[in-house]
């Protein structure tokens, strides 16, 4: 999975791929910058709807890169429901890490994680 972060929701792993395209899409959909979203996620202040939008775009980016038709059809509303069931506090912190790393230049345009270094924080990744 090329170092992508993963959300586990309802016993399913959903890789998050913060590609440029995904970031532009969720910034447009939420009306917030990735910096604002990272700050809100870190403060556990994202709405479930916003968490669903952000996570769904990141999941779809993974699906597009891996030609996964099933994962490409995720809906923000359903992801928000799964986040609610999983407990939004932990999910919010996972999203915060991905968003902070994206804001800090930790990913390529395609959404692949750059090597962790002095200015790039590590995030939990899939095997």
């Amino acid at each position: 999975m090329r170092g992508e972060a993963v959300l586990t929701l309802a016993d399913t792993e959903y890789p998050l791929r913060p590609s440029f395209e995904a970031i532009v899409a969720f910034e447009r959909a939420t009306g917030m910058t990735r910096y604002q979203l990272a700050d809100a996620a870190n403060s556990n202040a994202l709405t479930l709807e916003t968490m669903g939008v952000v996570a769904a775009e990141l999941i779809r980016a993974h699906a597009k890169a891996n030609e996964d038709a099933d994962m490409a059809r995720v809906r923000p509303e359903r992801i928000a429901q799964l986040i609610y069931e999983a407990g939004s506090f932990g999910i919010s912190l996972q999203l915060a890490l991905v968003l902070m790393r994206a804001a800090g230049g930790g990913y390529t345009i395609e959404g692949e994680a750059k090597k962790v270094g002095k200015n790039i924080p590590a995030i939990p990744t899939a095997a």
Side-chain angles (χ1 to χ4, degrees):
M1 286 193 232
R2 294 183 293 277
E4 294 165 338
V6 174
L7 290 182
T8 302
L9 303 169
D11 297 324
T12 300
E13 288 189 344
Y14 293 94
L16 305 177
R17 187 173 180 90
S19 67
F20 177 80
E21 185 178 316
I23 290 170
V24 169
F26 69 62
E27 284 182 337
R28 185 177 297 123
T30 64
M32 298 172 71
T33 69
R34 62 195 175 282
Y35 305 103
Q36 292 170 316
L37 289 163
D39 186 49
N42 193 47
S43 300
N44 204 31
L46 290 178
T47 65
L48 284 168
E49 180 180 22
T50 300
M51 291 173 75
V53 168
V54 171
E57 289 298 342
L58 297 174
I59 293 165
R60 288 184 198 141
H62 166 80
K64 181 177 179 181
N66 292 280
E67 299 179 8
D68 184 334
D70 290 332
M71 228 171 254
R73 290 190 291 270
V74 298
R75 295 174 307 131
E77 300 82 15
R78 180 61 182 148
I79 296 298
Q81 291 170 347
L82 294 174
I83 289 170
Y84 175 77
E85 286 182 346
S88 60
F89 182 74
I91 303 298
S92 185
L93 295 178
Q94 286 181 277
L95 291 176
L97 290 170
V98 172
L99 292 166
M100 284 188 271
R101 190 162 184 202
Y107 296 99
T108 66
I109 291 170
E110 295 82 17
E112 293 185 24
K114 292 180 183 176
K115 184 177 178 182
V116 174
K118 187 175 180 180
N119 297 323
I120 300 173
I123 58 170
T125 59

